[in-house]
Amino acid sequence: MQQQQSTSTNAFTSVGAVQFRGRFLTAVALLLEGVPDSGFYAGLDSQLERMPHFLTDAPLILDMAQAPDLDGAVMRDLRAALEQRKLAPFGVQNASPRQIEAAAEAGLIPIKAGHDVPQRAPRPERRPEPQPRDEFVAPRREVPQESRLITSPVRSGQSVVAEHGDLIVTGHVASGAELIARGNIHVYGTLRGRALAGVHGDESARIFCQSLDAELVAIAGLYRTSDNIEHAVRKRSVQIYLSEQRLCMETLA
């Protein structure tokens, strides 16, 4: 009988390391206020015609806060209709358990809303220790967030991100460029591209620019396109901020 040769030495294979890498993603939220019907799609098509390039292939989240409990078939039809319009829906937020089940049937995942803040147990109050008289006590300062400074013009097609703080640009921002910041955005030149501040839900964030000629400005998800920017603030020094869920623009000079 011929002895079978062992092949155990050939059973080992090389497995590459698994890597996880962080990526910054800016998604658009679409608020549903009822069952999607012909009126809903007509309004959506009108909005898409006003800004065709901004939303093409844009990652899209469906906000279900004001929507009824839609079934899985309606959610599948909605997703297909959005994809036909070159949108990329991938999740739902502010959804009830039944809405999450229907979304799962359409291949959509639940997303935690960006404005949610985890509740923490209150800390016990600490009384300040008495200081000797006539002793100078330096005021306590908060540690500033990490900001990003760009000293060269931002060209068309570039996307500049400040993930942990403010974004400061000392030059011009060309049409087709994009600025994204967790905090404020400062542009000491002409802003012709897109500027999105407070992208993690910071409603106190602001946008400052020396000359406003932007394609789109947004703070904490609320935005205006160039079609909705008043003539009175165009090519002026402007600050942009939120007030009572409205995007406000105010000239500085």
Side-chain angles (χ1 to χ4, degrees):
M1 178 181 294
Q2 184 179 3
Q3 185 178 4
Q4 184 178 3
Q5 186 177 1
S6 173
T7 59
S8 60
T9 57
N10 298 325
F12 297 98
T13 58
S14 177
V15 179
V18 177
Q19 297 183 5
F20 291 94
R21 294 185 178 182
R23 286 293 182 267
F24 193 88
L25 174 66
T26 301
V28 179
L30 176 62
L31 179 64
L32 297 179
E33 297 182 344
V35 178
D37 54 13
S38 58
F40 167 81
Y41 290 115
L44 178 61
D45 290 337
S46 176
Q47 186 79 349
L48 293 176
E49 289 177 0
R50 292 164 53 188
M51 44 183 178
H53 302 294
F54 173 66
L55 291 176
T56 299
D57 297 325
L60 186 69
I61 298 174
L62 302 178
D63 192 329
M64 310 296 290
Q66 301 180 27
D69 288 335
L70 308 177
D71 59 31
V74 173
M75 294 297 293
R76 287 194 298 270
D77 291 343
L78 174 59
R79 177 172 184 173
L82 294 174
E83 290 176 344
Q84 289 177 357
R85 290 163 171 80
K86 297 183 179 181
L87 300 174
F90 69 94
V92 295
Q93 68 178 15
N94 298 321
S96 67
R98 292 184 62 183
Q99 290 170 338
I100 291 176
E101 291 180 5
E105 293 184 30
L108 303 174
I109 62 174
I111 304 293
K112 186 176 181 181
H115 288 73
D116 289 346
V117 178
Q119 299 292 327
R120 298 182 179 179
R123 296 182 178 180
E125 296 184 0
R126 298 180 60 183
R127 296 183 179 180
E129 298 180 1
Q131 300 290 337
R133 296 184 62 182
D134 300 330
E135 181 179 346
F136 174 76
V137 179
R140 183 179 179 181
R141 297 189 304 170
E142 294 183 357
V143 178
Q145 291 181 323
E146 180 182 349
S147 298
R148 184 174 182 185
L149 174 64
I150 304 297
T151 57
S152 58
V154 183
R155 299 185 299 273
S156 179
Q158 282 188 294
S159 181
V160 182
V161 179
E163 297 190 26
H164 305 293
D166 293 357
L167 177 58
I168 304 168
V169 179
T170 60
H172 299 300
V173 179
S175 177
E178 185 176 59
L179 307 179
I180 302 173
R182 182 188 188 103
N184 305 309
I185 293 178
H186 306 257
V187 179
Y188 296 99
T190 301
L191 172 59
R192 293 191 178 93
R194 300 187 294 268
L196 297 87
V199 293
H200 289 297
D202 183 4
E203 297 183 356
S204 66
R206 298 195 176 206
I207 299 172
F208 303 88
C209 65
Q210 193 71 24
S211 179
L212 177 64
D213 195 16
E215 299 168 350
L216 179 141
V217 291
I219 296 177
L222 295 179
Y223 65 89
R224 284 198 202 182
T225 62
S226 58
D227 296 335
N228 297 324
I229 296 177
E230 295 86 353
H231 179 74
V233 298
R234 288 184 179 274
K235 299 184 180 180
R236 300 282 301 275
S237 179
V238 171
Q239 68 166 328
I240 303 168
Y241 59 94
L242 288 183
S243 177
E244 297 180 354
Q245 294 298 309
R246 292 179 59 252
L247 198 65
C248 301
M249 300 184 179
E250 180 180 295
T251 57
L252 296 175

